[in-house]
Amino acid sequence: VDEIGALPLGVQALGTHPQKTEKRNEGQTDIPVTFGGVTFWPGDCVVCDNNGIVVHKKDMLRRDEGQDGAKK
């Protein structure tokens, strides 16, 4: 845990789940994954800080769109 805390990467965790994985020697991309009862879909925007995590279907950090979604 101390080593993870020293990384220049934000890590949020409520606990651990030492479940052995099924080794299939393949990688998968663009699939939904579920952590802590929340499903993350490809393209979701995830914003985190020390107070929590927000998952949004739209990129909330894009600066090239106005409030109404119109391109600037």
Side-chain angles (χ1 to χ4, degrees):
V1 172
D2 292 332
E3 290 177 17
I4 293 172
L7 293 173
L9 168 72
V11 176
Q12 302 285 330
L14 297 176
T16 59
H17 185 25
Q19 180 177 355
K20 193 170 187 168
T21 61
E22 177 184 334
K23 302 295 183 194
R24 295 184 284 183
N25 294 324
E26 65 181 43
Q28 296 177 326
T29 61
D30 297 323
I31 62 169
V33 294
T34 303
F35 296 95
V38 177
T39 300
F40 299 84
W41 294 87
D44 282 356
C45 180
V46 181
V47 182
C48 310
D49 67 10
N50 289 338
N51 295 312
I53 300 171
V54 174
V55 180
H56 198 275
K57 297 292 176 198
K58 181 178 175 184
D59 185 349
M60 299 182 302
L61 302 177
R62 290 191 60 172
R63 305 233 188 272
D64 61 342
E65 292 184 1
Q67 292 281 351
D68 59 1
K71 296 277 185 194
K72 289 185 176 180

CSV table of all heavy atoms in Angstrom, one decimal:
chain,number,residue,atom,x,y,z
A,1,VAL,N,0.8,-1.2,0.0
A,1,VAL,CA,0.0,0.0,0.0
A,1,VAL,C,0.9,1.3,0.0
A,1,VAL,O,0.6,2.2,-0.7
A,1,VAL,CB,-1.0,0.0,1.2
A,1,VAL,CG1,-1.7,1.3,1.3
A,1,VAL,CG2,-1.9,-1.2,1.1
A,2,ASP,N,1.9,1.3,0.8
A,2,ASP,CA,2.8,2.4,0.8
A,2,ASP,C,3.5,2.7,-0.6
A,2,ASP,O,3.6,3.8,-1.0
A,2,ASP,CB,3.9,2.2,1.8
A,2,ASP,CG,3.4,2.3,3.2
A,2,ASP,OD1,2.3,2.9,3.5
A,2,ASP,OD2,4.0,1.6,4.1
A,3,GLU,N,3.8,1.6,-1.3
A,3,GLU,CA,4.4,1.8,-2.6
A,3,GLU,C,3.4,2.4,-3.6
A,3,GLU,O,3.7,3.2,-4.4
A,3,GLU,CB,4.9,0.4,-3.1
A,3,GLU,CG,6.1,-0.1,-2.4
A,3,GLU,CD,6.6,-1.5,-2.9
A,3,GLU,OE1,6.1,-1.9,-4.0
A,3,GLU,OE2,7.3,-2.1,-2.2
A,4,ILE,N,2.2,1.9,-3.5
A,4,ILE,CA,1.1,2.5,-4.4
A,4,ILE,C,0.9,4.0,-4.0
A,4,ILE,O,0.8,4.8,-4.9
A,4,ILE,CB,-0.2,1.7,-4.2
A,4,ILE,CG1,0.0,0.3,-4.8
A,4,ILE,CG2,-1.4,2.4,-5.0
A,4,ILE,CD1,-1.2,-0.6,-4.5
A,5,GLY,N,0.9,4.3,-2.8
A,5,GLY,CA,0.7,5.7,-2.3
A,5,GLY,C,1.8,6.6,-2.8
A,5,GLY,O,1.6,7.8,-3.0
A,6,ALA,N,3.0,6.1,-3.1
A,6,ALA,CA,4.1,6.9,-3.5
A,6,ALA,C,4.1,7.1,-5.0
A,6,ALA,O,4.9,7.9,-5.5
A,6,ALA,CB,5.4,6.2,-3.1
A,7,LEU,N,3.3,6.4,-5.8
A,7,LEU,CA,3.2,6.6,-7.2
A,7,LEU,C,2.6,7.9,-7.6
A,7,LEU,O,1.7,8.4,-6.9
A,7,LEU,CB,2.4,5.5,-7.8
A,7,LEU,CG,2.9,4.1,-7.8
A,7,LEU,CD1,1.9,3.1,-8.3
A,7,LEU,CD2,4.2,4.0,-8.6
A,8,PRO,N,3.0,8.5,-8.7
A,8,PRO,CA,2.4,9.8,-9.2
A,8,PRO,C,1.1,9.5,-10.0
A,8,PRO,O,0.9,10.0,-11.1
A,8,PRO,CB,3.5,10.3,-10.2
A,8,PRO,CG,4.2,9.1,-10.7
A,8,PRO,CD,4.2,8.1,-9.6
A,9,LEU,N,0.3,8.7,-9.3
A,9,LEU,CA,-1.0,8.2,-9.9
A,9,LEU,C,-2.0,8.2,-8.8
A,9,LEU,O,-1.8,7.6,-7.8
A,9,LEU,CB,-0.8,6.8,-10.5
A,9,LEU,CG,-2.0,6.1,-11.0
A,9,LEU,CD1,-2.6,6.7,-12.2
A,9,LEU,CD2,-1.6,4.6,-11.2
A,10,GLY,N,-3.2,8.7,-9.1
A,10,GLY,CA,-4.2,8.7,-8.1
A,10,GLY,C,-4.9,7.3,-8.0
A,10,GLY,O,-5.3,6.7,-9.0
A,11,VAL,N,-4.9,6.7,-6.8
A,11,VAL,CA,-5.6,5.4,-6.6
A,11,VAL,C,-6.6,5.5,-5.5
A,11,VAL,O,-6.3,6.0,-4.4
A,11,VAL,CB,-4.5,4.4,-6.2
A,11,VAL,CG1,-5.2,3.0,-5.9
A,11,VAL,CG2,-3.4,4.2,-7.3
A,12,GLN,N,-7.8,5.2,-5.9
A,12,GLN,CA,-8.9,5.2,-4.9
A,12,GLN,C,-9.4,3.7,-4.7
A,12,GLN,O,-9.6,3.0,-5.6
A,12,GLN,CB,-10.1,6.0,-5.5
A,12,GLN,CG,-9.8,7.4,-5.8
A,12,GLN,CD,-9.7,8.3,-4.6
A,12,GLN,OE1,-10.3,8.0,-3.6
A,12,GLN,NE2,-8.9,9.3,-4.7
A,13,ALA,N,-9.4,3.3,-3.4
A,13,ALA,CA,-9.8,1.9,-3.1
A,13,ALA,C,-10.5,1.8,-1.8
A,13,ALA,O,-10.2,2.5,-0.9
A,13,ALA,CB,-8.6,1.0,-3.1
A,14,LEU,N,-11.6,1.0,-1.8
A,14,LEU,CA,-12.3,0.8,-0.6
A,14,LEU,C,-11.8,-0.5,0.1
A,14,LEU,O,-12.1,-0.7,1.3
A,14,LEU,CB,-13.8,0.7,-0.8
A,14,LEU,CG,-14.5,1.9,-1.4
A,14,LEU,CD1,-16.0,1.6,-1.8
A,14,LEU,CD2,-14.4,3.1,-0.4
A,15,GLY,N,-11.1,-1.3,-0.6
A,15,GLY,CA,-10.6,-2.5,0.0
A,15,GLY,C,-10.0,-3.3,-1.1
A,15,GLY,O,-9.7,-2.9,-2.2
A,16,THR,N,-9.6,-4.6,-0.8
A,16,THR,CA,-9.0,-5.5,-1.7
A,16,THR,C,-9.9,-6.7,-1.9
A,16,THR,O,-10.7,-7.0,-1.1
A,16,THR,CB,-7.6,-5.9,-1.2
A,16,THR,OG1,-7.8,-6.6,0.1
A,16,THR,CG2,-6.7,-4.7,-1.0
A,17,HIS,N,-9.6,-7.4,-3.0
A,17,HIS,CA,-10.4,-8.6,-3.3
A,17,HIS,C,-9.4,-9.6,-4.0
A,17,HIS,O,-9.2,-9.5,-5.2
A,17,HIS,CB,-11.6,-8.3,-4.3
A,17,HIS,CG,-12.4,-9.4,-4.6
A,17,HIS,ND1,-12.6,-10.5,-3.7
A,17,HIS,CD2,-13.2,-9.7,-5.6
A,17,HIS,CE1,-13.4,-11.3,-4.3
A,17,HIS,NE2,-13.8,-10.9,-5.4
A,18,PRO,N,-8.8,-10.4,-3.2
A,18,PRO,CA,-7.7,-11.3,-3.7
A,18,PRO,C,-8.3,-12.5,-4.4
A,18,PRO,O,-8.2,-13.6,-4.0
A,18,PRO,CB,-7.0,-11.7,-2.4
A,18,PRO,CG,-8.0,-11.6,-1.3
A,18,PRO,CD,-8.9,-10.5,-1.7
A,19,GLN,N,-9.0,-12.2,-5.5
A,19,GLN,CA,-9.6,-13.3,-6.3
A,19,GLN,C,-8.6,-13.7,-7.4
A,19,GLN,O,-8.1,-12.8,-8.1
A,19,GLN,CB,-10.9,-12.9,-6.9
A,19,GLN,CG,-11.6,-14.0,-7.7
A,19,GLN,CD,-12.9,-13.5,-8.2
A,19,GLN,OE1,-13.4,-12.5,-7.9
A,19,GLN,NE2,-13.6,-14.4,-9.0
A,20,LYS,N,-8.3,-15.0,-7.6
A,20,LYS,CA,-7.5,-15.4,-8.6
A,20,LYS,C,-8.1,-15.2,-10.0
A,20,LYS,O,-9.3,-15.3,-10.1
A,20,LYS,CB,-7.2,-16.9,-8.4
A,20,LYS,CG,-6.1,-17.4,-9.3
A,20,LYS,CD,-5.7,-18.8,-8.9
A,20,LYS,CE,-4.4,-19.2,-9.6
A,20,LYS,NZ,-3.8,-20.4,-9.1
A,21,THR,N,-7.3,-14.8,-11.0
A,21,THR,CA,-7.9,-14.5,-12.3
A,21,THR,C,-7.8,-15.7,-13.2
A,21,THR,O,-7.0,-16.6,-12.9
A,21,THR,CB,-7.1,-13.3,-13.0
A,21,THR,OG1,-5.7,-13.8,-13.1
A,21,THR,CG2,-7.1,-12.1,-12.2
A,22,GLU,N,-8.7,-15.7,-14.2
A,22,GLU,CA,-8.7,-16.7,-15.2
A,22,GLU,C,-7.7,-16.3,-16.3
A,22,GLU,O,-7.9,-15.3,-16.9
A,22,GLU,CB,-10.1,-16.9,-15.8
A,22,GLU,CG,-10.1,-17.9,-16.9
A,22,GLU,CD,-11.5,-18.0,-17.5
A,22,GLU,OE1,-12.5,-17.6,-16.8
A,22,GLU,OE2,-11.6,-18.4,-18.7
A,23,LYS,N,-6.6,-17.1,-16.5
A,23,LYS,CA,-5.6,-16.7,-17.4
A,23,LYS,C,-6.0,-17.2,-18.8
A,23,LYS,O,-6.3,-18.4,-19.0
A,23,LYS,CB,-4.2,-17.4,-17.1
A,23,LYS,CG,-3.7,-17.0,-15.7
A,23,LYS,CD,-3.4,-15.5,-15.7
A,23,LYS,CE,-2.8,-15.2,-14.3
A,23,LYS,NZ,-2.8,-13.8,-14.0
A,24,ARG,N,-6.2,-16.3,-19.7
A,24,ARG,CA,-6.6,-16.6,-21.1
A,24,ARG,C,-5.6,-16.2,-22.1
A,24,ARG,O,-5.8,-16.4,-23.3
A,24,ARG,CB,-8.0,-16.0,-21.4
A,24,ARG,CG,-9.1,-16.6,-20.6
A,24,ARG,CD,-10.4,-16.0,-21.0
A,24,ARG,NE,-10.5,-14.7,-20.5
A,24,ARG,CZ,-11.6,-13.9,-20.6
A,24,ARG,NH1,-12.6,-14.4,-21.3
A,24,ARG,NH2,-11.6,-12.7,-20.1
A,25,ASN,N,-4.5,-15.5,-21.7
A,25,ASN,CA,-3.5,-15.0,-22.6
A,25,ASN,C,-4.0,-14.2,-23.7
A,25,ASN,O,-3.6,-14.3,-24.9
A,25,ASN,CB,-2.6,-16.2,-23.1
A,25,ASN,CG,-1.8,-16.8,-22.0
A,25,ASN,OD1,-1.4,-16.1,-21.1
A,25,ASN,ND2,-1.7,-18.1,-22.1
A,26,GLU,N,-5.0,-13.3,-23.4
A,26,GLU,CA,-5.6,-12.4,-24.4
A,26,GLU,C,-5.9,-11.1,-23.8
A,26,GLU,O,-6.2,-11.0,-22.6
A,26,GLU,CB,-6.9,-13.0,-25.1
A,26,GLU,CG,-8.0,-13.2,-24.1
A,26,GLU,CD,-9.3,-13.8,-24.7
A,26,GLU,OE1,-9.1,-14.7,-25.5
A,26,GLU,OE2,-10.3,-13.3,-24.4
A,27,GLY,N,-5.9,-10.1,-24.5
A,27,GLY,CA,-6.3,-8.8,-24.0
A,27,GLY,C,-7.6,-8.4,-24.6
A,27,GLY,O,-8.0,-8.8,-25.7
A,28,GLN,N,-8.3,-7.5,-23.9
A,28,GLN,CA,-9.6,-7.1,-24.5
A,28,GLN,C,-9.6,-5.5,-24.3
A,28,GLN,O,-9.2,-5.0,-23.3
A,28,GLN,CB,-10.8,-7.7,-23.7
A,28,GLN,CG,-10.9,-9.2,-23.9
A,28,GLN,CD,-12.0,-9.8,-23.1
A,28,GLN,OE1,-12.3,-9.3,-22.0
A,28,GLN,NE2,-12.6,-10.8,-23.6
A,29,THR,N,-10.2,-4.9,-25.3
A,29,THR,CA,-10.4,-3.4,-25.2
A,29,THR,C,-11.8,-3.1,-25.6
A,29,THR,O,-12.5,-3.9,-26.1
A,29,THR,CB,-9.4,-2.7,-26.2
A,29,THR,OG1,-9.7,-3.1,-27.6
A,29,THR,CG2,-8.0,-3.0,-25.9
A,30,ASP,N,-12.2,-1.8,-25.2
A,30,ASP,CA,-13.5,-1.3,-25.5
A,30,ASP,C,-14.6,-2.2,-25.0
A,30,ASP,O,-15.6,-2.5,-25.7
A,30,ASP,CB,-13.7,-1.0,-27.0
A,30,ASP,CG,-12.7,0.0,-27.5
A,30,ASP,OD1,-12.5,1.0,-26.7
A,30,ASP,OD2,-12.2,-0.1,-28.6
A,31,ILE,N,-14.5,-2.7,-23.7
A,31,ILE,CA,-15.5,-3.5,-23.1
A,31,ILE,C,-15.9,-2.8,-21.8
A,31,ILE,O,-15.0,-2.1,-21.2
A,31,ILE,CB,-15.1,-4.9,-22.9
A,31,ILE,CG1,-13.9,-5.0,-21.9
A,31,ILE,CG2,-14.8,-5.6,-24.2
A,31,ILE,CD1,-13.6,-6.4,-21.4
A,32,PRO,N,-17.1,-3.0,-21.3
A,32,PRO,CA,-17.5,-2.4,-20.0
A,32,PRO,C,-16.8,-3.2,-18.9
A,32,PRO,O,-16.6,-4.4,-19.0
A,32,PRO,CB,-19.0,-2.5,-19.9
A,32,PRO,CG,-19.3,-3.6,-20.9
A,32,PRO,CD,-18.2,-3.6,-22.0
A,33,VAL,N,-16.4,-2.5,-17.8
A,33,VAL,CA,-15.9,-3.2,-16.6
A,33,VAL,C,-16.6,-2.7,-15.4
A,33,VAL,O,-17.1,-1.5,-15.4
A,33,VAL,CB,-14.3,-3.0,-16.5
A,33,VAL,CG1,-13.6,-3.6,-17.6
A,33,VAL,CG2,-14.0,-1.5,-16.4
A,34,THR,N,-16.7,-3.5,-14.4
A,34,THR,CA,-17.5,-3.1,-13.2
A,34,THR,C,-16.6,-3.2,-12.0
A,34,THR,O,-15.9,-4.2,-11.7
A,34,THR,CB,-18.7,-4.0,-13.0
A,34,THR,OG1,-19.5,-3.9,-14.2
A,34,THR,CG2,-19.5,-3.6,-11.8
A,35,PHE,N,-16.6,-2.1,-11.2
A,35,PHE,CA,-15.8,-2.0,-9.9
A,35,PHE,C,-16.7,-1.5,-8.9
A,35,PHE,O,-17.4,-0.4,-9.1
A,35,PHE,CB,-14.6,-1.1,-10.1
A,35,PHE,CG,-13.5,-1.6,-11.0
A,35,PHE,CD1,-13.5,-1.1,-12.3
A,35,PHE,CD2,-12.6,-2.5,-10.6
A,35,PHE,CE1,-12.6,-1.5,-13.2
A,35,PHE,CE2,-11.6,-2.9,-11.5
A,35,PHE,CZ,-11.6,-2.4,-12.8
A,36,GLY,N,-16.8,-2.1,-7.7
A,36,GLY,CA,-17.6,-1.6,-6.6
A,36,GLY,C,-19.1,-1.3,-7.0
A,36,GLY,O,-19.7,-0.4,-6.5
A,37,GLY,N,-19.6,-2.1,-7.9
A,37,GLY,CA,-21.0,-2.0,-8.3
A,37,GLY,C,-21.3,-0.9,-9.3
A,37,GLY,O,-22.4,-0.6,-9.6
A,38,VAL,N,-20.2,-0.3,-9.8
A,38,VAL,CA,-20.3,0.8,-10.9
A,38,VAL,C,-19.8,0.2,-12.2
A,38,VAL,O,-18.6,-0.2,-12.2
A,38,VAL,CB,-19.6,2.1,-10.5
A,38,VAL,CG1,-19.7,3.1,-11.6
A,38,VAL,CG2,-20.2,2.6,-9.2
A,39,THR,N,-20.5,0.3,-13.3
A,39,THR,CA,-20.0,-0.1,-14.6
A,39,THR,C,-19.5,1.1,-15.3
A,39,THR,O,-20.1,2.1,-15.5
A,39,THR,CB,-21.1,-0.8,-15.4
A,39,THR,OG1,-21.6,-1.9,-14.6
A,39,THR,CG2,-20.6,-1.3,-16.7
A,40,PHE,N,-18.2,0.9,-15.8
A,40,PHE,CA,-17.6,1.9,-16.6
A,40,PHE,C,-17.6,1.4,-18.0
A,40,PHE,O,-17.2,0.3,-18.4
A,40,PHE,CB,-16.1,2.0,-16.2
A,40,PHE,CG,-15.9,2.5,-14.7
A,40,PHE,CD1,-16.0,1.6,-13.7
A,40,PHE,CD2,-15.7,3.8,-14.4
A,40,PHE,CE1,-15.8,1.9,-12.4
A,40,PHE,CE2,-15.6,4.2,-13.1
A,40,PHE,CZ,-15.6,3.3,-12.1
A,41,TRP,N,-18.2,2.3,-18.9
A,41,TRP,CA,-18.3,1.9,-20.3
A,41,TRP,C,-17.2,2.7,-21.1
A,41,TRP,O,-16.8,3.8,-20.7
A,41,TRP,CB,-19.7,2.3,-20.8
A,41,TRP,CG,-20.8,1.5,-20.2
A,41,TRP,CD1,-21.4,1.8,-19.0
A,41,TRP,CD2,-21.3,0.3,-20.7
A,41,TRP,NE1,-22.3,0.8,-18.7
A,41,TRP,CE2,-22.3,-0.1,-19.7
A,41,TRP,CE3,-21.1,-0.4,-21.8
A,41,TRP,CZ2,-23.0,-1.2,-19.9
A,41,TRP,CZ3,-21.9,-1.6,-22.0
A,41,TRP,CH2,-22.8,-2.0,-21.0
A,42,PRO,N,-16.8,2.1,-22.3
A,42,PRO,CA,-15.8,2.8,-23.1
A,42,PRO,C,-16.3,4.2,-23.4
A,42,PRO,O,-17.5,4.4,-23.8
A,42,PRO,CB,-15.7,1.9,-24.3
A,42,PRO,CG,-16.1,0.5,-23.9
A,42,PRO,CD,-17.1,0.8,-22.8
A,43,GLY,N,-15.4,5.2,-23.3
A,43,GLY,CA,-15.8,6.6,-23.5
A,43,GLY,C,-16.3,7.3,-22.3
A,43,GLY,O,-16.4,8.6,-22.4
A,44,ASP,N,-16.6,6.7,-21.2
A,44,ASP,CA,-17.0,7.4,-20.0
A,44,ASP,C,-15.9,8.3,-19.5
A,44,ASP,O,-14.7,8.0,-19.7
A,44,ASP,CB,-17.3,6.4,-18.9
A,44,ASP,CG,-18.7,5.7,-19.0
A,44,ASP,OD1,-19.4,6.1,-20.0
A,44,ASP,OD2,-19.0,4.9,-18.2
A,45,CYS,N,-16.3,9.4,-18.9
A,45,CYS,CA,-15.4,10.3,-18.3
A,45,CYS,C,-15.3,10.1,-16.8
A,45,CYS,O,-16.4,10.1,-16.2
A,45,CYS,CB,-15.8,11.8,-18.6
A,45,CYS,SG,-14.7,13.0,-17.9
A,46,VAL,N,-14.1,9.8,-16.3
A,46,VAL,CA,-14.0,9.6,-14.9
A,46,VAL,C,-13.1,10.7,-14.2
A,46,VAL,O,-12.0,10.9,-14.7
A,46,VAL,CB,-13.3,8.2,-14.6
A,46,VAL,CG1,-13.1,7.9,-13.1
A,46,VAL,CG2,-14.1,7.1,-15.3
A,47,VAL,N,-13.7,11.3,-13.2
A,47,VAL,CA,-13.0,12.4,-12.6
A,47,VAL,C,-12.9,12.1,-11.1
A,47,VAL,O,-13.9,11.7,-10.5
A,47,VAL,CB,-13.8,13.8,-12.7
A,47,VAL,CG1,-13.1,14.9,-12.0
A,47,VAL,CG2,-14.0,14.1,-14.2
A,48,CYS,N,-11.7,12.1,-10.5
A,48,CYS,CA,-11.5,11.7,-9.1
A,48,CYS,C,-10.7,12.8,-8.3
A,48,CYS,O,-9.9,13.5,-8.9
A,48,CYS,CB,-10.6,10.5,-9.1
A,48,CYS,SG,-11.1,9.1,-10.2
A,49,ASP,N,-11.0,12.8,-7.0
A,49,ASP,CA,-10.2,13.6,-6.1
A,49,ASP,C,-10.3,12.9,-4.8
A,49,ASP,O,-10.8,11.8,-4.7
A,49,ASP,CB,-10.6,15.1,-6.0
A,49,ASP,CG,-12.0,15.3,-5.4
A,49,ASP,OD1,-12.6,14.3,-4.9
A,49,ASP,OD2,-12.5,16.4,-5.5
A,50,ASN,N,-9.8,13.5,-3.7
A,50,ASN,CA,-9.8,12.9,-2.4
A,50,ASN,C,-11.2,12.7,-1.8
A,50,ASN,O,-11.3,12.0,-0.8
A,50,ASN,CB,-8.9,13.7,-1.4
A,50,ASN,CG,-7.4,13.6,-1.8
A,50,ASN,OD1,-7.0,12.6,-2.4
A,50,ASN,ND2,-6.7,14.5,-1.3
A,51,ASN,N,-12.2,13.4,-2.4
A,51,ASN,CA,-13.5,13.3,-1.8
A,51,ASN,C,-14.4,12.2,-2.5
A,51,ASN,O,-15.4,11.9,-2.1
A,51,ASN,CB,-14.2,14.6,-1.9
A,51,ASN,CG,-13.5,15.6,-1.0
A,51,ASN,OD1,-13.3,15.4,0.1
A,51,ASN,ND2,-13.2,16.8,-1.6
A,52,GLY,N,-14.0,11.8,-3.7
A,52,GLY,CA,-14.8,10.8,-4.4
A,52,GLY,C,-14.5,10.7,-5.9
A,52,GLY,O,-13.5,11.2,-6.4
A,53,ILE,N,-15.4,9.9,-6.5
A,53,ILE,CA,-15.2,9.7,-8.0
A,53,ILE,C,-16.6,9.9,-8.7
A,53,ILE,O,-17.6,9.6,-8.1
A,53,ILE,CB,-14.8,8.2,-8.2
A,53,ILE,CG1,-13.5,7.9,-7.5
A,53,ILE,CG2,-14.8,7.9,-9.7
A,53,ILE,CD1,-13.1,6.4,-7.5
A,54,VAL,N,-16.5,10.6,-9.8
A,54,VAL,CA,-17.7,10.9,-10.6
A,54,VAL,C,-17.5,10.2,-12.0
A,54,VAL,O,-16.4,10.4,-12.6
A,54,VAL,CB,-17.9,12.4,-10.8
A,54,VAL,CG1,-19.1,12.6,-11.8
A,54,VAL,CG2,-18.2,13.0,-9.5
A,55,VAL,N,-18.5,9.4,-12.4
A,55,VAL,CA,-18.4,8.8,-13.8
A,55,VAL,C,-19.5,9.5,-14.6
A,55,VAL,O,-20.7,9.6,-14.1
A,55,VAL,CB,-18.7,7.3,-13.7
A,55,VAL,CG1,-18.6,6.7,-15.1
A,55,VAL,CG2,-17.7,6.6,-12.8
A,56,HIS,N,-19.2,10.0,-15.7
A,56,HIS,CA,-20.2,10.7,-16.6
A,56,HIS,C,-20.1,10.2,-18.0
A,56,HIS,O,-19.0,9.8,-18.5
A,56,HIS,CB,-19.8,12.2,-16.6
A,56,HIS,CG,-21.0,13.1,-17.0
A,56,HIS,ND1,-21.2,13.3,-18.3
A,56,HIS,CD2,-21.9,13.7,-16.3
A,56,HIS,CE1,-22.3,14.1,-18.5
A,56,HIS,NE2,-22.7,14.4,-17.2
A,57,LYS,N,-21.2,10.1,-18.7
A,57,LYS,CA,-21.2,9.6,-20.0
A,57,LYS,C,-20.6,10.5,-21.1
A,57,LYS,O,-20.3,10.1,-22.1
A,57,LYS,CB,-22.7,9.3,-20.5
A,57,LYS,CG,-23.4,8.3,-19.6
A,57,LYS,CD,-22.7,6.9,-19.8
A,57,LYS,CE,-23.3,5.9,-18.9
A,57,LYS,NZ,-22.5,4.7,-18.8
A,58,LYS,N,-20.4,11.8,-20.7
A,58,LYS,CA,-19.8,12.8,-21.6
A,58,LYS,C,-18.5,13.3,-21.1
A,58,LYS,O,-18.4,13.5,-19.9
A,58,LYS,CB,-20.9,13.9,-21.8
A,58,LYS,CG,-20.4,15.0,-22.8
A,58,LYS,CD,-21.5,16.0,-22.9
A,58,LYS,CE,-21.1,17.2,-23.7
A,58,LYS,NZ,-22.1,18.2,-23.8
A,59,ASP,N,-17.6,13.6,-21.9
A,59,ASP,CA,-16.3,14.2,-21.5
A,59,ASP,C,-16.6,15.6,-20.9
A,59,ASP,O,-16.8,16.5,-21.6
A,59,ASP,CB,-15.3,14.2,-22.6
A,59,ASP,CG,-14.0,14.7,-22.2
A,59,ASP,OD1,-13.8,15.2,-21.0
A,59,ASP,OD2,-13.0,14.6,-23.0
A,60,MET,N,-16.6,15.7,-19.6
A,60,MET,CA,-16.9,17.0,-18.9
A,60,MET,C,-15.7,17.9,-19.0
A,60,MET,O,-15.9,19.1,-18.6
A,60,MET,CB,-17.2,16.7,-17.4
A,60,MET,CG,-18.4,15.8,-17.3
A,60,MET,SD,-18.9,15.6,-15.6
A,60,MET,CE,-17.5,14.9,-14.9
A,61,LEU,N,-14.5,17.5,-19.4
A,61,LEU,CA,-13.4,18.4,-19.4
A,61,LEU,C,-13.1,19.0,-20.7
A,61,LEU,O,-12.2,19.8,-20.8
A,61,LEU,CB,-12.2,17.5,-18.9
A,61,LEU,CG,-12.3,16.9,-17.6
A,61,LEU,CD1,-11.1,16.1,-17.3
A,61,LEU,CD2,-12.5,17.9,-16.5
A,62,ARG,N,-13.8,18.7,-21.8
A,62,ARG,CA,-13.6,19.3,-23.1
A,62,ARG,C,-13.9,20.8,-23.0
A,62,ARG,O,-14.9,21.2,-22.5
A,62,ARG,CB,-14.5,18.6,-24.1
A,62,ARG,CG,-14.1,17.2,-24.4
A,62,ARG,CD,-14.7,16.7,-25.6
A,62,ARG,NE,-14.4,17.5,-26.7
A,62,ARG,CZ,-14.7,17.2,-28.0
A,62,ARG,NH1,-15.3,16.1,-28.2
A,62,ARG,NH2,-14.3,17.9,-29.0
A,63,ARG,N,-13.0,21.5,-23.6
A,63,ARG,CA,-13.1,23.0,-23.5
A,63,ARG,C,-13.6,23.6,-24.8
A,63,ARG,O,-13.7,24.7,-24.9
A,63,ARG,CB,-11.7,23.6,-23.2
A,63,ARG,CG,-11.1,23.0,-21.9
A,63,ARG,CD,-10.7,24.1,-20.9
A,63,ARG,NE,-10.0,23.5,-19.8
A,63,ARG,CZ,-10.6,23.1,-18.7
A,63,ARG,NH1,-11.8,23.1,-18.6
A,63,ARG,NH2,-9.8,22.7,-17.7
A,64,ASP,N,-13.8,22.7,-25.8
A,64,ASP,CA,-14.2,23.2,-27.1
A,64,ASP,C,-15.7,23.2,-27.3
A,64,ASP,O,-16.2,23.4,-28.4
A,64,ASP,CB,-13.5,22.5,-28.3
A,64,ASP,CG,-13.8,21.0,-28.3
A,64,ASP,OD1,-14.3,20.5,-27.2
A,64,ASP,OD2,-13.6,20.4,-29.3
A,65,GLU,N,-16.5,23.0,-26.3
A,65,GLU,CA,-17.9,23.0,-26.4
A,65,GLU,C,-18.5,23.9,-25.3
A,65,GLU,O,-18.0,24.0,-24.2
A,65,GLU,CB,-18.5,21.6,-26.1
A,65,GLU,CG,-18.2,20.6,-27.3
A,65,GLU,CD,-18.8,19.2,-27.0
A,65,GLU,OE1,-19.6,19.1,-26.0
A,65,GLU,OE2,-18.6,18.4,-27.9
A,66,GLY,N,-19.6,24.5,-25.6
A,66,GLY,CA,-20.3,25.4,-24.7
A,66,GLY,C,-21.2,24.6,-23.8
A,66,GLY,O,-21.3,23.4,-23.9
A,67,GLN,N,-21.9,25.3,-22.9
A,67,GLN,CA,-22.8,24.7,-22.0
A,67,GLN,C,-23.9,23.8,-22.7
A,67,GLN,O,-24.3,22.8,-22.2
A,67,GLN,CB,-23.5,25.7,-21.1
A,67,GLN,CG,-22.6,26.4,-20.2
A,67,GLN,CD,-22.3,25.6,-18.9
A,67,GLN,OE1,-22.9,24.6,-18.7
A,67,GLN,NE2,-21.4,26.1,-18.1
A,68,ASP,N,-24.3,24.3,-23.9
A,68,ASP,CA,-25.4,23.6,-24.6
A,68,ASP,C,-24.8,22.5,-25.6
A,68,ASP,O,-25.6,21.9,-26.3
A,68,ASP,CB,-26.2,24.6,-25.5
A,68,ASP,CG,-25.3,25.4,-26.5
A,68,ASP,OD1,-24.1,25.1,-26.5
A,68,ASP,OD2,-25.9,26.2,-27.2
A,69,GLY,N,-23.5,22.3,-25.5
A,69,GLY,CA,-22.9,21.2,-26.3
A,69,GLY,C,-22.5,21.7,-27.7
A,69,GLY,O,-22.0,20.9,-28.5
A,70,ALA,N,-22.8,23.0,-28.0
A,70,ALA,CA,-22.5,23.5,-29.3
A,70,ALA,C,-21.0,23.8,-29.4
A,70,ALA,O,-20.3,24.2,-28.5
A,70,ALA,CB,-23.2,24.8,-29.6
A,71,LYS,N,-20.4,23.5,-30.6
A,71,LYS,CA,-19.0,23.7,-30.8
A,71,LYS,C,-18.7,25.2,-30.8
A,71,LYS,O,-19.5,26.0,-31.3
A,71,LYS,CB,-18.5,23.1,-32.1
A,71,LYS,CG,-18.6,21.6,-32.2
A,71,LYS,CD,-17.4,21.0,-31.6
A,71,LYS,CE,-17.5,19.5,-31.8
A,71,LYS,NZ,-16.6,18.7,-31.0
A,72,LYS,N,-17.6,25.6,-30.2
A,72,LYS,CA,-17.2,27.0,-30.1
A,72,LYS,C,-16.3,27.3,-31.3
A,72,LYS,O,-15.6,26.5,-31.8
A,72,LYS,CB,-16.5,27.3,-28.8
A,72,LYS,CG,-17.4,27.4,-27.7
A,72,LYS,CD,-16.6,27.8,-26.5
A,72,LYS,CE,-17.4,27.9,-25.2
A,72,LYS,NZ,-16.7,28.4,-24.1
